[in-house]
Amino acid sequence: MKNVVCVCGHENPVGTKICANCGRPLTEEAKSQKVLDMKYDGSAIRSKTYNKSIIDKVWNFFSSVKVGVALIIITLVVSSIGTILKQEAFVEAGNEAGRAAFYEESYGSFGKLYYNLGFSDLYNQIWYLVLVAMLGISIIVASIDRGIPLHKSLKNQRVRRHESFMKRQRVIAEGTVTTGDSSNTIDAVEEKMKKLNYKVRREGKALLAEKGRFSRYGPYINHLGLIIFLVGVLLHKFPGIYVDESMWIREGETRAIPGMDGYFLENKEFIFETHDNDPTTAQIQQGVNAVAKNYQTDIVLYKQADDAVPGQTDQLEVVKEYSIRVNHPLEHDGYALYQMDFRLNELKEMSFQLTNKDTGVSLGEVAIDLRNPKKEYIIDENIKVELMEYYPDFSGFNNEGAPQTLSPNPNNPAFIFNMITPEHPDGEISFVAIQQTVEPTGDNTYKMAFSGIDTVNMSGLTIRMDKTIPILFVGGFIFLLGLAIGSYWNHRRIWIEQFENGRIRLAAHTNKNWFSIKKDLDAITEYAHLPQYIDQLDDEKETENDEDKKEES
Amino acid sequence: MDKKRKRSIIRGVILAVLVIAIGFTVYSSFTKDKVELLTEGDTAPDFELVGLDGKKHRLSDYRGEGVMLNFWGTWCEPCKREMPAMDRQYDVFKDQGVNLLTINIAQSEFEVQNFLNNLGVDFPTVIDKTRDVMTAYNVIDLPASIFIDPNGKVVKIKTGEMKEADIISHMEMIKPE
């Protein structure tokens, strides 16, 4: 395609609405306008210029504002759908099948569909990431496509513009000076404009005064910030940049810290304190009788030796001891461990009396550590209890009649004991669960009588590390800076030309805030005795009356 | 026209850079989790755990031979179901330089030993008390089996219950030449 050659001889790219050199309207549309559309200063949007190769077509697709708006709407709608049901990360199920079942059981067929379409784990769906990525490309391409031609046309502005450009501006004036000598009018205008902090360029008797041009770059700066922010968010997906893990740790337990390689955490004690107040009326009404004062986990942080491999825990070095409290995380090496949750009184130890069922006499007590049970518990040489089977989370019997455990946690412990007593040196077998005893070999002489429990508390911690925070901060700052530049400043331009016969032609344009540019115009009109300007978008009547008004004043 | 070519090249390069950057991000977010996740072809992270036999078992000691790792727990029914087949195939393949090391997740020695005795299996078993190895191998769902070749490279990662035929074919893959 050929360039458009203006009457003045300047070659403009195809699609240009206003000649970059003289300002003549080039398209039929622009010629028919009373006031020119000054968007992008009439420069050709790049994508509108050519549409030939595949690259151009892809480019034009992303450059389109319609496509951009559509992408924003789709992303918004899809994200909203993602908030209807809870995300998989918050579903307490061990595996994929469990999570799938959860959605169907909890929400019916809608839940199943929701899960199958991937809304239950939206942020990890490939199509969702592609959608966000396309939005990112759209922002970048559209900015390049519009920003660069705009920048070029703003940089290469001519002082002297053609009549057809001047007359098609919204605010114009034409006529002779109202009083005095017109020979130094342009000098007076220049002097006044400089006082008003305009940048003034002159070409003989023509003048261009300009102010706040940088505000035109506001939207592009804004987009740049958005892109930096988006890059920061995408970086979360890379290893070593972002960690958001959680762990449950019991008192007395030492565990590897997920997401924090080579570090181990020991939970010394979990402390839950409440305020020692008498319940208030509101508390009684809500059935709450204590106000929490403190949630605290006393921990020891260990580090493996540098050359250690996972699982090697015989040479742990103490890094620090600390009390993790709400708002007082353990901070180390860029990581922070927060107190998030707790569970009180998980079973730790169960005690039984080896009791004669008839006489009620106990031969001794056995305490079983539910996290680490032993094979046998010896009371004396003739009396001992053998632990034959242990089911920490007893959930019933399977088809073959074998007891089952649902999890490794001692939520509902069950045991099969062999009780060796002087009366029964070969032992008596007894299945013991909470509130349930089965004696498979017939009527036993002895029983394991439940005599007490010991509990531990569990602490829920989250592990966070985010190296993208500075990037997000910079992106956010640039975003706001662009927003401020684009919103609080405006680009004002005033063109003035004086002809041989002393007549003056003036045109003014601003991208926003016409009130202020008119105030500036009022000031120079008064100072340099310029003809009164008119706003072509005001009522027709007013413009006609303008001539009369001038005579009167 | 020179200008046209230049424009096409610039646009092409910009689009290519964007697509590559985004493609890489999307790809890596699916092959990797938030922490570096093991994938087939990676070097298996070395580890050392104490076994039921009281000895230390270190993965790197098996260099030159194939190793199948199997993560499990006593509460996990599919783990239990695949164990007899694993035990049988271990007996077949151990003379051909393929080892089996099962890794229990943080349970007590009593429970682990009792469970294995009841099943009647006798393959080497270690206990990951701190769950450090489980974390290093990014094991979330049980059972999980990792097949490591004589060079220490992960050949196959298999989550969920395996059929005996799968165990055989994967053990074949890690057999030393």
Side-chain angles (χ1 to χ4, degrees):
Chain A
M1 259 184 257
K2 278 182 185 161
N3 288 340
V4 177
V5 183
C6 178
V7 185
C8 70
H10 186 76
E11 274 193 37
N12 294 285
V14 174
T16 308
K17 290 185 186 128
I18 301 167
C19 175
N21 182 36
C22 63
R24 280 186 183 89
L26 294 175
T27 60
E28 287 307 317
E29 189 201 354
K31 280 176 192 162
S32 67
Q33 284 169 334
K34 187 178 175 192
V35 174
L36 284 173
D37 179 8
M38 291 287 283
K39 218 166 154 189
Y40 313 118
D41 261 36
S43 60
I45 297 169
R46 297 200 143 194
S47 65
K48 300 277 167 68
T49 56
Y50 306 95
N51 196 353
K52 283 212 163 153
S53 64
I54 292 269
I55 291 176
D56 287 333
K57 280 187 177 145
V58 173
W59 183 269
N60 294 349
F61 174 78
F62 284 113
S63 168
S64 157
V65 171
K66 273 182 198 160
V67 170
V69 171
L71 284 171
I72 291 171
I73 291 172
I74 294 169
T75 309
L76 278 177
V77 168
V78 166
S79 304
S80 314
I81 295 173
T83 64
I84 296 176
L85 302 182
K86 69 173 167 182
Q87 292 284 299
E88 266 176 55
F90 304 103
V91 174
E92 281 187 32
N95 54 29
E96 226 167 272
R99 287 189 286 272
F102 169 84
Y103 281 94
E104 193 169 359
E105 279 161 24
S106 311
Y107 310 109
S109 51
F110 173 69
K112 193 181 175 188
L113 186 70
Y114 195 83
Y115 178 83
N116 287 336
L117 289 176
F119 285 108
S120 57
D121 193 17
L122 191 62
Y123 299 135
N124 289 317
Q125 294 305 312
I126 202 155
W127 53 267
Y128 185 80
L129 290 181
V130 167
L131 197 61
V132 174
M134 280 171 70
L135 190 58
I137 294 179
S138 164
I139 293 171
I140 293 171
V141 170
S143 299
I144 293 174
D145 213 43
R146 288 167 175 75
I148 290 175
L150 175 68
H151 172 73
K152 277 189 180 164
S153 79
L154 288 176
K155 222 177 98 185
N156 300 322
Q157 284 184 90
R158 297 298 159 96
V159 174
R160 206 182 294 271
R161 292 293 181 112
H162 189 257
E163 183 183 359
S164 54
F165 174 86
M166 300 281 274
K167 283 196 163 166
R168 281 185 177 83
Q169 294 304 314
R170 182 173 153 180
V171 171
I172 54 168
E174 194 159 350
T176 51
V177 290
T178 46
T179 51
D181 182 14
S182 70
S183 60
N184 54 5
T185 302
I186 298 295
D187 295 328
V189 169
E190 182 176 3
E191 185 193 336
K192 186 65 184 173
M193 299 271 21
K194 279 182 174 161
K195 268 193 197 145
L196 290 170
N197 290 322
Y198 278 74
K199 273 179 143 180
V200 181
R201 279 164 62 204
R202 272 192 69 172
E203 248 174 47
K205 288 275 187 185
L207 173 150
L208 165 59
E210 196 177 10
K211 189 179 187 177
R213 187 201 280 181
F214 71 101
S215 78
R216 298 293 287 272
Y217 297 97
Y220 304 99
I221 295 169
N222 181 293
H223 283 172
L224 178 72
L226 209 60
I227 293 297
I228 293 174
F229 197 92
L230 215 56
V231 166
V233 173
L234 286 179
L235 280 177
H236 278 181
K237 297 280 176 189
F238 288 84
I241 289 192
Y242 179 71
V243 171
D244 183 6
E245 297 277 347
S246 59
M247 70 191 286
W248 281 99
I249 184 165
R250 288 173 191 83
E251 288 171 333
E253 199 179 24
T254 301
R255 283 193 64 169
I257 305 175
M260 200 173 167
D261 291 347
Y263 285 96
F264 292 78
L265 199 72
E266 181 185 354
N267 183 351
K268 287 277 199 194
E269 191 184 6
F270 175 75
I271 299 164
F272 173 55
E273 290 171 313
T274 54
H275 284 287
D276 193 18
N277 64 329
D278 291 326
T280 61
T281 323
Q283 274 178 292
I284 292 164
Q285 279 167 357
Q286 292 168 28
V288 182
N289 50 20
V291 177
K293 186 162 79 177
N294 187 24
Y295 305 96
Q296 176 178 330
T297 310
D298 291 342
I299 57 93
V300 185
L301 179 69
Y302 297 97
K303 192 183 192 310
Q304 278 184 323
D306 285 334
D307 56 347
V309 296
Q312 233 177 7
T313 50
D314 42 6
Q315 282 178 321
L316 293 182
E317 279 171 47
V318 175
V319 178
K320 63 171 103 170
E321 292 185 32
Y322 189 75
S323 296
I324 301 175
R325 285 170 291 142
V326 175
N327 295 335
H328 294 84
L330 165 69
E331 286 173 337
H332 183 74
D333 199 20
Y335 292 85
L337 274 75
Y338 294 88
Q339 179 70 51
M340 288 300 277
D341 206 348
F342 66 96
R343 265 181 231 155
L344 295 179
N345 305 326
E346 186 180 280
L347 287 174
K348 176 179 186 275
E349 201 175 79
M350 276 179 108
S351 303
F352 298 92
Q353 299 282 352
L354 179 57
T355 310
N356 186 305
K357 285 191 340 198
D358 294 332
T359 63
V361 175
S362 167
L363 295 182
E365 194 182 49
V366 166
I368 297 163
D369 183 342
L370 300 172
R371 283 276 157 198
N372 191 16
K374 289 201 193 75
K375 206 171 164 47
E376 57 180 14
Y377 295 84
I378 296 167
I379 295 168
D380 67 33
E381 51 187 273
N382 295 324
I383 309 166
K384 63 181 181 180
V385 176
E386 287 175 0
L387 182 57
M388 297 178 70
E389 296 289 344
Y390 170 49
Y391 309 96
D393 196 358
F394 175 59
S395 59
F397 299 90
N398 70 1
N399 304 338
E400 294 146 32
Q404 299 295 303
T405 185
L406 195 66
S407 77
N409 304 318
N411 300 324
N412 184 23
F415 313 86
I416 296 179
F417 292 118
N418 187 23
M419 302 169 286
I420 290 164
T421 51
E423 293 94 321
H424 299 278
D426 291 334
E428 290 177 303
I429 299 205
S430 175
F431 174 85
V432 179
I434 290 170
Q435 306 220 327
Q436 186 180 3
T437 304
V438 178
E439 295 174 349
T441 53
D443 203 12
N444 291 344
T445 313
Y446 284 89
K447 66 171 181 182
M448 294 294 279
F450 173 73
S451 63
I453 54 163
D454 196 5
T455 59
V456 284
N457 299 330
M458 234 177 143
S459 191
L461 305 173
T462 60
I463 302 101
R464 293 254 168 82
M465 189 267 281
D466 192 352
K467 286 187 184 157
T468 66
I469 284 176
I471 299 175
L472 297 184
F473 188 81
V474 167
F477 180 77
I478 292 174
F479 177 88
L480 289 176
L481 187 74
L483 203 66
I485 288 172
S487 309
Y488 291 103
W489 280 273
N490 39 77
H491 183 210
R492 300 174 197 169
R493 277 176 294 179
I494 297 169
W495 297 269
I496 298 177
E497 191 174 354
Q498 190 172 35
F499 303 104
E500 294 298 326
N501 59 9
R503 276 183 75 84
I504 287 164
R505 182 181 292 147
L506 175 148
H509 180 262
T510 178
N511 58 341
K512 54 171 73 81
N513 197 356
W514 289 88
F515 179 76
S516 291
I517 199 172
K518 283 179 186 169
K519 260 171 63 182
D520 291 347
L521 283 172
D522 287 337
I524 55 164
T525 303
E526 193 189 30
Y527 187 82
H529 312 293
L530 297 176
Q532 179 59 39
Y533 62 86
I534 53 164
D535 186 336
Q536 301 205 80
L537 290 188
D538 278 356
D539 241 350
E540 296 291 335
K541 273 184 197 167
E542 251 178 79
T543 48
E544 277 165 19
N545 292 341
D546 249 22
E547 288 294 320
D548 307 335
K549 266 190 204 162
K550 245 186 279 168
E551 298 299 328
E552 285 163 23
S553 59
Chain B
M1 247 170 88
D2 226 13
K3 213 176 159 190
K4 244 188 209 170
R5 264 192 60 196
K6 203 177 133 195
R7 185 198 72 228
S8 270
I9 290 167
I10 291 173
R11 287 182 178 185
V13 166
I14 293 172
L15 287 173
V17 166
L18 291 176
V19 167
I20 289 169
I22 288 158
F24 183 63
T25 311
V26 171
Y27 170 79
S28 58
S29 70
F30 279 88
T31 51
K32 293 169 186 181
D33 220 278
K34 284 168 207 143
V35 287
E36 200 154 6
L37 180 65
L38 197 65
T39 52
E40 286 163 11
D42 290 352
T43 300
D46 197 12
F47 65 86
E48 185 180 287
L49 289 171
V50 179
L52 289 176
D53 54 8
K55 290 180 193 147
K56 285 178 180 172
H57 294 253
R58 193 173 176 133
L59 181 66
S60 51
D61 293 343
Y62 296 105
R63 272 294 158 88
E65 296 186 354
V67 185
M68 171 186 174
L69 302 178
N70 178 264
F71 292 86
W72 65 279
T74 64
W75 68 95
C76 157
E77 275 299 310
C79 303
K80 190 174 169 181
R81 284 198 296 269
E82 68 179 5
M83 276 186 172
M86 270 164 46
D87 192 51
R88 274 196 297 278
Q89 294 312 318
Y90 172 55
D91 286 340
V92 173
F93 277 89
K94 68 179 164 192
D95 299 329
Q96 303 173 41
V98 176
N99 299 282
L100 170 63
L101 190 60
T102 73
I103 301 170
N104 173 272
I105 308 299
Q107 290 187 277
S108 64
E109 269 173 49
F110 172 82
E111 286 165 89
V112 172
Q113 190 65 67
N114 222 32
F115 179 87
L116 297 176
N117 289 349
N118 288 343
L119 268 179
V121 295
D122 61 351
F123 41 64
T125 298
V126 293
I127 301 174
D128 186 14
K129 283 198 172 6
T130 59
R131 297 167 209 247
D132 194 16
V133 178
M134 180 189 174
T135 310
Y137 279 79
N138 241 64
V139 170
I140 296 158
D141 295 332
L142 295 180
S145 299
I146 322 275
F147 293 86
I148 301 162
D149 74 7
N151 300 320
K153 292 263 185 288
V154 175
V155 174
K156 186 78 196 167
I157 298 170
K158 182 87 186 163
T159 304
E161 188 183 339
M162 283 191 295
K163 300 238 161 51
E164 189 150 6
D166 297 331
I167 298 172
I168 295 170
S169 68
H170 294 145
M171 279 188 166
E172 284 289 346
M173 286 161 73
I174 56 171
K175 211 164 72 175
E177 302 287 308

